[in-house]
Amino acid sequence: MTARASFAPSPRQQAWRRFTNRVMAVVLLACALTVMAPLFLVLYYLVREGATSLDWSFFTQLPKPTGEPGGGMANAIAGTLTLLAMAAAIGVPFGIMGGVYLAEYGSERANDWIRFTADVLNGVPSIVWGMVVYALLVVPFKTFSAYAGGVALGLMMVPLVMRTTEEVLVLVPQGYREAALALGIARWRIIVVIVMRTALKGIVTGVLVALARVAGETAPLLFTALGNNFWSHRLSEPIAALPLQIFSYAISPYDDWHRQAWAGALVLMALILIVNVTVRVLSRERRFT
Amino acid sequence: MADRIQPNPLIPPAAALPAAAAASSREPPAEVAFDIADLSLWYGSRQALYEVTIQLPARRVTAIIGPSGCGKSTFLRALNRMHELTPGTRMTGRLRLFGQDLYSPGVDPTHVRRRVGMVFQKSNPFPTMSIAENVLAGLRLNGVRDPALLRERLEQALRMAALWDEVKDVLGRPGVSLSGGQQQRVCIARALAIEPEIVLMDEPCSALDPIATAKIEELIRDLRTRYTVIIVTHNMQQAARVSDRTAFFYLGRLVEVDETRTIFMKPANPQTEAYVSGRFG
Amino acid sequence: MKRFFDAELETFRSQLIRMGETAIEQVRAAIRALVESDAALARHVIAADDQLDQLEVMIDDEAIRYMNLRAPIASDLRLVIVGMKASHDLERVGDEATSIAKRAIKLGAEPPLKPYIDIPRMATIALEMLRDALDCFLQDDEAKAIAVCKRDVEVDNINRQLYRELTSFMVEKPDTISRAIELMFISKSLERIADHATNIAEEMIYLSKGTDVRHTEELKKTGKPVA
């Protein structure tokens, strides 16, 4: 008997191995499909229930008074976009600059604390954010407002953008910073023109992901923006938003409103899908490694 | 054979025979670029350089050799204050560039680095910039705007880096689209464009193939006419080929520095001899 | 691909060639000084030996420097090594020429023993051998180098014949002894010059083929190289 023969599995062992391989492959495939199933179910449901309600009037008309059929969510869509713009105005600059500080400046220990704080804030329930902004911006001014809603969403964005910005900046190889320093370029210029430009796609991706996340938040808006059945003419007034509108329609007793809620949910989902696809396209755009 | 012999034109009269000499002894003695005394450097509590005293001549190529961890890169970085990027470094001793103390309190490290340029081991052209933008980065980002001056420096730097003919028609292409050797030459052009007085090179060829290496070595020999070059290399043949003087470092100390020819032929220190003949390191 | 230090090798080659030309000229001048009893020419030859000595030092120095700093491989390495060896042979040739010149001065003071026939004949062959050996350096001609090695026998034969002649002279007429001895030394010098030419030819074969053919009997007798 040669040494080679003693290491080779017997035919019975080989058959058992093949069988086990196949079984596990099937099991794993099933698990993967199970994980993906909810997404497809949600999309299917949304499309089935909401697609029929998506007509021109949905996008252009205000909600009709209670009980009347018809109407649309034009103000909610506009409101969501307005709130996102305000959130971005707060979340983007502070988040990015915070990320830059963490990646480029600061001491090891202080930065650890800052990161810890940011991670905790990322986990704070969104309703708590709403309550905080309610206490700070709604109660003193005695009015719900778009400002408050924008601030609440913006504050939620800050730690998120800060962490993602820091992560992509840290990925920029140290070699570029050194090379730029060796040319006698001032530090802040290096960070802006070289480091951030190199990481730009990552930063934009981080901002878009954060926007998509806060776009769907309902709880903080409950105490701050409140919602509005009409157009808001000033930002110091309550403003409509898609999640709020979907919420109030879904718990109402009217079928018509239920139908519109599905449509609103579908629009919201579409918005988020568009953002994610954009993120994907941006990430893939690499002409050279 | 009966005719009167004429003096053979091939044989010059005895007095005219040129003396056998290496090129450096035919040139005038060099002025001193770096005057370094008792340079010691610590990373936190670990001492990396021990009282290094050396003079580096101007417009010559000085090679710094030694086994890994001997402090040669640390020493190189001390020459343009790049070691200050690492937190916790501490330095004592005196380091003068053409008579000026580089570490005196009033001196801005950024200005030091404009006089003392550096080329790194791994070529690192900025990925978001074209070839032209890369070469001019040092100028533009330091406030130079005049387009005529920029164009002139661009061509000058690329010519000195022996790259002008290869890239002059594709200056708009991304810097990272070139081959490894070309990228390294872009980095050299980038360092030269700001017209430093000194060019430091930290193992510039270690990531390159032999042909690219040979081109860069030739380039280093050409740079010598205008710049002072200090090159750290672990490749002793390279040090022998390109440098006029060689300094041998071991465990953070300067063991010996002399003309390259002497270091490789009859070094004074037995440690130097052991290293250059490959017995350790 | 051209390396930036290739010029050094070119300089080395031309120095070697120059040394060869100088050596040949020295021998030619020395023999002429003898044949024409030209003491002034002989003194010129003796003084010019310095150049050959200096060239040998230069070539050796440059060879060592090149090997040290450029780490030559293959044919470059062979060139440098052959250069060192050939320069030694050529320096010895120069010394022999000087010796001939000194004896030419001594002999010029006295009437010639007999007409100079054999010595110029030996000299011609020896000079042709030197010239051919040097040409191999320029042209890479193995056949020529082998021919040089073969011709050494001719010079040896003439030398032996001259010895016999001079010995009988000395026996018959004792007052010719001092002149005969000088001529025997000159003949010996020429025989040695031919040996050096053979050495150089063997070195040229090594340079072009990488084969060491020294001390191989086959080469001397049949003229075929040993692979």
Side-chain angles (χ1 to χ4, degrees):
Chain A
M1 187 173 78
T2 64
R4 270 181 90 194
S6 65
F7 284 130
S10 69
R12 192 151 157 261
Q13 280 175 318
Q14 283 183 23
W16 173 247
R17 285 186 190 182
R18 275 198 294 269
F19 174 68
T20 323
N21 272 341
R22 272 199 218 113
V23 164
M24 285 315 295
V26 167
V27 165
L28 290 170
L29 180 62
C31 289
L33 289 175
T34 311
V35 166
M36 296 202 309
L39 174 64
F40 290 118
L41 278 174
V42 165
L43 282 175
Y44 168 68
Y45 243 75
L46 282 178
V47 170
R48 196 183 77 172
E49 300 291 335
T52 48
S53 312
L54 281 182
D55 51 20
W56 188 240
S57 68
F58 182 82
F59 286 102
T60 52
Q61 285 189 10
L62 291 176
K64 286 271 172 24
T66 314
E68 279 187 36
M73 286 200 186
N75 59 341
I77 295 171
T80 293
L81 293 174
T82 312
L83 287 171
L84 284 180
M86 286 197 289
I90 296 175
V92 168
F94 285 103
I96 290 182
M97 290 202 283
V100 167
Y101 181 84
L102 280 180
E104 307 286 334
Y105 294 93
S107 72
E108 204 49 51
R109 286 193 63 213
N111 284 9
D112 270 343
W113 279 107
I114 298 175
R115 271 187 218 109
F116 175 69
T117 311
D119 288 338
V120 167
L121 286 176
N122 274 332
V124 163
S126 53
I127 196 162
V128 174
W129 282 112
M131 288 179 62
V132 166
V133 177
Y134 172 78
L136 290 175
L137 285 184
V138 173
V139 169
F141 295 98
K142 299 192 179 20
T143 173
F144 296 97
S145 60
Y147 285 129
V151 165
L153 293 183
L155 287 178
M156 285 178 70
M157 270 183 80
V158 168
L160 202 52
V161 173
M162 190 158 96
R163 290 295 268 133
T164 54
T165 304
E166 186 210 354
E167 266 163 43
V168 294
L169 287 179
V170 158
L171 282 177
V172 172
Q174 186 69 357
Y176 297 130
R177 294 183 189 84
E178 284 192 339
L181 273 167
L183 290 170
I185 303 174
R187 186 116 185 256
W188 67 269
R189 270 227 171 87
I190 297 177
I191 293 173
V192 170
V193 179
I194 292 172
V195 178
M196 283 179 73
R197 230 174 106 182
T198 307
L200 193 60
K201 286 207 182 79
I203 296 175
V204 168
T205 306
V207 166
L208 286 177
V209 164
L211 274 175
R213 161 105 191 267
V214 300
E217 292 290 343
T218 320
L221 298 178
L222 287 173
F223 309 92
T224 50
L226 188 65
N228 195 334
N229 283 332
F230 307 98
W231 291 112
S232 316
H233 298 288
R234 282 195 296 276
L235 291 174
S236 50
E237 290 175 357
I239 192 171
L242 269 176
L244 290 174
Q245 207 73 358
I246 294 169
F247 174 62
S248 64
Y249 275 22
I251 59 176
S252 76
Y254 307 110
D255 283 340
D256 192 50
W257 279 8
H258 292 171
R259 199 181 38 82
Q260 289 192 18
W262 280 113
L266 181 58
V267 168
L268 196 55
M269 194 70 211
L271 178 66
I272 294 182
L273 271 176
I274 289 173
V275 168
N276 276 305
V277 166
T278 311
V279 163
R280 274 267 150 169
V281 165
L282 281 180
S283 307
R284 203 181 303 134
E285 200 198 330
R286 292 227 180 291
R287 290 186 298 274
F288 38 80
T289 49
Chain B
M1 274 176 50
D3 45 294
R4 187 90 181 83
I5 190 169
Q6 301 298 318
N8 189 326
L10 282 174
I11 309 175
L17 237 121
S24 52
S25 64
R26 259 186 252 129
E27 295 169 346
E31 65 173 307
V32 170
F34 277 106
D35 178 18
I36 298 165
D38 294 320
L39 181 70
S40 294
L41 201 147
W42 287 263
Y43 287 122
S45 57
R46 184 178 76 84
Q47 188 165 5
L49 291 175
Y50 295 80
E51 286 119 36
V52 175
T53 301
I54 187 175
Q55 293 187 331
L56 301 170
R59 275 177 296 286
R60 298 281 186 277
V61 180
T62 303
I64 302 186
I65 61 174
S68 312
C70 66
K72 47 189 201 288
S73 284
T74 307
F75 175 72
L76 194 74
R77 282 161 169 253
L79 296 178
N80 69 346
R81 297 183 66 165
M82 286 289 283
H83 65 278
E84 291 170 0
L85 292 184
T86 317
T89 54
R90 184 167 66 88
M91 200 209 80
T92 60
R94 187 197 70 210
L95 195 149
R96 291 215 192 110
L97 173 62
F98 292 118
Q100 189 193 358
D101 188 343
L102 292 185
Y103 283 84
S104 66
V107 173
D108 182 3
T110 317
H111 289 142
V112 170
R113 293 176 197 136
R114 285 185 207 154
R115 293 175 70 189
V116 184
M118 194 163 188
V119 175
F120 296 84
Q121 183 169 347
K122 188 160 182 328
S123 59
N124 45 24
F126 301 128
T128 55
M129 297 188 185
S130 68
I131 297 173
E133 284 170 345
N134 257 293
V135 174
L136 293 175
L139 288 170
R140 279 233 196 87
L141 292 175
N142 277 323
V144 176
R145 297 251 172 275
D146 177 12
L149 178 64
L150 289 176
R151 254 195 314 272
E152 182 193 321
R153 290 276 187 95
L154 176 65
E155 183 173 338
Q156 232 175 48
L158 283 172
R159 278 193 193 281
M160 274 240 85
L163 199 56
W164 176 251
D165 290 321
E166 287 174 52
V167 302
K168 64 179 189 281
D169 298 321
V170 292
L171 289 171
R173 278 175 62 189
V176 295
S177 63
L178 299 172
S179 75
Q182 290 173 317
Q183 281 189 23
Q184 189 63 304
R185 279 183 280 158
V186 166
C187 293
I188 294 176
R190 183 176 66 189
L192 294 178
I194 59 175
E195 294 198 340
E197 296 160 64
I198 319 277
V199 180
L200 306 177
M201 297 192 166
D202 193 348
E203 305 201 25
C205 302
S206 55
L208 301 177
D209 63 85
I211 292 190
T213 299
K215 286 194 183 156
I216 294 201
E217 285 179 10
E218 187 164 354
L219 160 58
I220 293 174
R221 289 304 292 172
D222 290 336
L223 285 181
R224 178 176 175 274
T225 53
R226 285 176 62 176
Y227 303 93
T228 304
V229 179
I230 319 284
I231 172 171
V232 163
T233 177
H234 64 266
N235 181 340
M236 279 184 290
Q237 260 69 52
Q238 182 171 85
R241 279 191 294 265
V242 306
S243 67
D244 303 299
R245 288 178 71 81
T246 300
F248 170 55
F249 276 70
Y250 184 56
L251 293 179
R253 280 174 224 273
L254 172 64
V255 175
E256 189 177 347
V257 57
D258 207 328
E259 287 204 5
T260 298
R261 202 193 157 137
T262 310
I263 293 278
F264 283 95
M265 188 59 202
K266 36 183 181 350
N269 189 306
Q271 267 184 328
T272 315
E273 167 124 23
Y275 180 71
V276 299
S277 51
R279 292 209 185 92
F280 79 92
Chain C
M1 203 198 86
K2 203 167 181 324
R3 300 163 304 180
F4 69 85
F5 48 84
D6 278 344
E8 294 168 10
L9 223 43
E10 284 312 308
T11 311
F12 187 73
R13 288 177 75 102
S14 48
Q15 277 190 329
L16 206 52
I17 292 171
R18 188 161 124 207
M19 193 176 178
E21 301 285 341
T22 309
I24 290 177
E25 273 313 310
Q26 287 285 82
V27 174
R28 194 178 287 146
I31 296 297
R32 238 172 242 173
L34 172 69
V35 165
E36 296 170 7
S37 297
D38 189 340
L41 181 59
R43 277 189 287 274
H44 177 91
V45 169
I46 295 167
D49 191 49
D50 272 348
Q51 292 176 24
L52 280 173
D53 294 340
Q54 279 183 41
L55 274 168
E56 188 197 11
V57 169
M58 271 171 72
I59 287 175
D60 275 359
D61 196 50
E62 177 59 22
I64 291 173
R65 188 201 76 90
Y66 191 85
M67 280 196 284
N68 193 225
L69 295 183
R70 307 292 181 232
I73 309 275
S75 55
D76 287 351
L77 178 63
R78 296 203 302 272
L79 170 61
V80 168
I81 290 180
V82 159
M84 281 178 77
K85 284 171 168 276
S87 75
H88 180 70
D89 280 307
L90 289 170
E91 192 268 334
R92 297 297 305 142
V93 164
D95 287 345
E96 298 295 348
T98 307
S99 157
I100 293 175
K102 284 181 185 157
R103 299 185 202 285
I105 293 176
K106 278 197 209 136
L107 284 174
E110 303 179 49
L113 201 54
K114 68 182 200 74
Y116 292 120
I117 298 172
D118 293 316
I119 285 184
R121 196 155 58 96
M122 276 177 79
T124 310
I125 298 173
L127 281 167
E128 280 169 8
M129 285 167 73
L130 265 181
R131 160 62 56 208
D132 285 345
L134 274 185
D135 280 347
C136 294
F137 183 61
L138 293 166
Q139 284 158 2
D140 223 21
D141 190 343
E142 192 191 353
K144 208 182 246 188
I146 294 168
V148 168
C149 299
K150 235 175 99 179
R151 280 190 93 178
D152 190 41
V153 169
E154 290 178 42
V155 177
D156 291 347
N157 290 342
I158 302 176
N159 184 37
R160 256 193 300 272
Q161 182 210 323
L162 200 51
Y163 268 35
R164 280 195 295 267
E165 252 188 65
L166 290 169
T167 315
S168 56
F169 249 97
M170 288 195 283
V171 165
E172 286 171 23
K173 299 179 196 167
D175 60 323
T176 64
I177 287 180
S178 59
R179 277 173 287 165
I181 289 179
E182 298 295 337
L183 285 173
M184 282 169 83
F185 276 124
I186 291 177
S187 172
K188 184 72 193 163
S189 284
L190 284 170
E191 193 262 330
R192 285 216 195 96
I193 289 175
D195 284 343
H196 284 302
T198 309
N199 284 348
I200 294 174
E202 285 167 351
E203 284 148 22
M204 293 309 154
I205 294 176
Y206 178 67
L207 174 60
S208 82
K209 292 288 177 299
T211 321
D212 194 343
V213 297
R214 293 173 300 169
H215 314 304
T216 49
E217 281 306 313
E218 285 84 342
L219 187 56
K220 289 197 183 116
K221 295 204 176 115
T222 66
K224 279 205 294 266
V226 180

